[in-house]
Amino acid sequence: MTDPNLVPARTPPSLWAASARAAPATAELGAAETHADVVVIGGGFTGLCAALRLAESGVDAVLLEAAELGWGGSGRNNGQVIPCLSRADPDALVQAFGADRGEALVRLIRDSAGIVFDLIRKHGIECEAVQNGWVQPAHRPGRMNLTRSRHEQWRRRDAPVELLDREQVAAITGSTYWHGGWQNPTGGHINPLGLVRGLAEAALKAGARIFTHSAALGITPAGSGWRVATANGAVTSSKVIVATQAYSGFFAPQLWPGLARSVVPVRSYQMATAPLPQEIRRCILPHNHAMSDTHGDLYFCHFDAAGRLVSGGALVLHHNYEERLQRRIGERMAMLFPALREAGPVHFEQIWHGYIGMTTDGLPHVHKLADGVYAWLGDNGRGVALASALGGVLADAARGVPESTLPLPFMPVAPIPLHALAVKAAPRALLGYRWHDRLG
Ligand SMILES: Cc1cc2nc3c(=O)[nH]c(=O)nc-3n(C[C@H](O)[C@H](O)[C@H](O)COP(=O)(O)OP(=O)(O)OC[C@H]3O[C@@H](n4cnc5c(N)ncnc54)[C@H](O)[C@@H]3O)c2cc1C
């Protein structure tokens, strides 16, 4: 049977598909040749925030999405809005990209959750937005060194972060499992598909044209600009933004030479319980934070507006995944939260999956592919905030804001050698994470 998570004809089944506001009406690109100032490829947070910024600036933008809006990571993620990266901390970003560009990117990441919630407020987007903070507890005493270092690196850059001891983390999470941690009050959680659809509506209102089920198949030079072809019509423009993330190889692996092979798509599973009774909810994340801890095989969860616990996990092998995840993540949540344990076995009503875009260096890769063609890939599993923020910045570059003034640490595209093998082997990296998780 075909996995419904992989069918581009419709939005994959998930908690978010069941609970998000309706999508605005969109159609396929017609057969006639269309012209725009900028073509945006991909209808996730990057593409939609780019289209919105362009349209609001008076730039004629066309967005092409191969499937439904939010069909990629943006419509299926956990919904945590986190103003930092999963692997690269500020000092590492500065080391990789230099003082100017590195610090500029760090500032963008620092402000990224605020950018998301500001957009939600500005456009009145209904997406269960809760900005009560994001907490990262430390799962081993030794991980407090990493926690202190992260806290210190962000504090030095004026992020409103707070270092937490064991008792403070227990008060925030409702669990005595962790050894301390840190939090950033600008983070929070959202219904991600609701946000996608709200951003699309805002972009349409501002004048952007959005076409779904219109995969870009190639980008070729045309006059002084570019021609983006679909199976139906084509769009010519002077600028192009490629916002295809982990799904870059799904519809048109040759869209831009080497780009799809510069990132490894890795499957991540998401799960939601039924709404939990008030007496249990009161004992878990009582202040309604988003939580993801220091495990490499990540422990994470938050509540949606109806009181469903939204969590998930990763697997090395994908066979029989629903049954195995019910047990594995159910036991994990019960172990973390006594109130859940006492209520009996944890059951998840919905299980779905999507692909995160891993880079071998753990860095986000921002590209100027050619004159007027921009892209970024490599969310490394954490990109709700970053994609939304970078989408706006890529739009600024495309509308002519001098690149030197923007937080865009361009790097060349570096296809991963033996990419197909790397994609197959990637889930096995989880074994290494689990081993590392048990240390100090
Ligand atoms: C299961 C899961 C859980 C996650 N949880 C979190 C979380 O809790 N917090 C967090 O910060 N991050 C999380 N992430 C990461 C986050 O979702 C992504 O970083 C973010 O959504 C990336 O947005 P994007 O717009 O760059 O890419 P995407 O949302 O992936 O959008 C890319 C789009 O491009 C389209 N596309 C591809 N090829 C073409 C083509 N040729 N023509 C036209 N369209 C094309 C795809 O259909 C897709 O809709 C998670 C990701 C996944 C998969």
Side-chain angles (χ1 to χ4, degrees), residues 41-48 64-82 214-217 243-252 255 266-270 300 302 352-356 376 379-387:
I41 303 173
F45 294 134
T46 304
L48 288 164
L64 301 174
E65 163 55 50
E68 292 285 330
L69 295 171
W71 192 82
S74 297
R76 348 170 163 213
N77 59 64
N78 191 258
Q80 300 205 17
V81 186
I82 305 173
S214 304
L217 301 178
T244 49
Q245 202 54 252
Y247 290 81
S248 295
F250 276 54
F251 300 96
L255 186 66
V266 176
R267 190 184 285 193
S268 164
Y269 293 95
Q270 304 297 306
F300 58 96
H302 67 89
W352 68 97
H353 65 74
Y355 288 87
I356 60 179
W376 92 274
D379 62 19
N380 291 289
R382 196 169 288 169
V384 170
L386 180 61

Side-chain angles (χ1 to χ4, degrees), residues 306-346:
R308 298 178 181 87
L309 194 62
V310 194
S311 183
L315 291 173
V316 178
L317 301 170
H318 301 302
H319 68 278
N320 206 12
Y321 66 78
E322 298 210 353
E323 201 181 308
R324 290 165 56 226
L325 284 164
Q326 285 282 4
R327 200 176 47 246
R328 184 178 188 89
I329 307 303
E331 285 171 3
R332 177 184 291 175
M333 290 296 123
M335 181 273 291
L336 292 176
F337 303 112
L340 214 49
R341 190 160 62 233
E342 283 153 21
V346 182

Side-chain angles (χ1 to χ4, degrees), residues 250-275:
F250 276 54
F251 300 96
Q254 301 307 327
L255 186 66
W256 192 271
L259 189 66
R261 286 185 291 117
S262 68
V263 72
V264 177
V266 176
R267 190 184 285 193
S268 164
Y269 293 95
Q270 304 297 306
M271 318 165 65
T273 65

